[in-house]
Amino acid sequence: MRGPIAPPQVPLAASRADVFADLVQDSVERLERRWPQLAEIDFLVLEVPRLDGSGPWSDEAVPLGGTIPAREGRRARVVVYRRPVEIRTKGRDERAALVHEIVVEQVAELLGLTPETVDPRYGED
């Protein structure tokens, strides 16, 4: 008797992008318990930040995340850049901690608060 290795609802292997998106979603869900207004913010994962092409290469660090304020009927957005985060972390736990830090920092910026106000455990990892 032959059948599927795993039920259809269980992926055999989730892509790295899917796993990363889950880390961002887990972080957002942790914060939404305390900050229900986060339901009004879109959280996005992009591969890498775009270069604006406005001049020579800069010595600034590659951003790990960013914000786009709400305007003209569009919701505010928090962006987390997957590839720069993956390059800076070793393993899922370290990656999850860094993703959470990034999400907390970006939410704090949008709400005009300190990261410690958004998540009192900020920086403890």
Side-chain angles (χ1 to χ4, degrees):
M1 174 163 40
R2 296 184 71 146
I5 295 173
Q9 67 272 20
V10 178
L12 291 177
S15 72
R16 287 186 354 201
D18 290 340
V19 170
F20 192 90
D22 288 345
L23 293 177
V24 172
Q25 185 61 39
D26 291 347
S27 181
V28 172
E29 287 172 1
R30 280 175 52 189
L31 295 176
E32 277 181 331
R33 293 182 204 120
R34 182 175 177 151
W35 301 99
Q37 63 265 50
L38 296 186
E40 301 301 315
I41 298 173
D42 291 330
F43 291 85
L44 309 169
V45 174
L46 297 178
E47 290 294 308
V48 294
R50 276 197 290 164
L51 297 175
D52 64 5
S54 64
W57 291 92
S58 162
D59 289 336
E60 293 181 33
V62 173
L64 303 178
T67 59
I68 303 168
R71 65 173 182 252
E72 299 174 15
R74 293 179 65 183
R75 293 162 41 130
R77 296 177 181 170
V78 168
V79 180
V80 181
Y81 300 112
R82 181 174 74 86
R83 294 294 296 142
V85 171
E86 287 179 337
I87 289 168
R88 286 169 177 76
T89 56
K90 298 175 186 163
R92 188 182 196 288
D93 291 343
E94 189 177 324
R95 192 165 295 129
L98 182 55
V99 164
H100 188 66
E101 271 188 39
I102 295 164
V103 170
V104 168
E105 290 169 359
Q106 302 310 315
V107 165
E109 183 176 323
L110 277 177
L111 298 180
L113 303 169
T114 65
E116 294 81 11
T117 302
V118 172
D119 184 352
R121 296 180 298 168
Y122 173 80
E124 289 181 11
D125 294 330

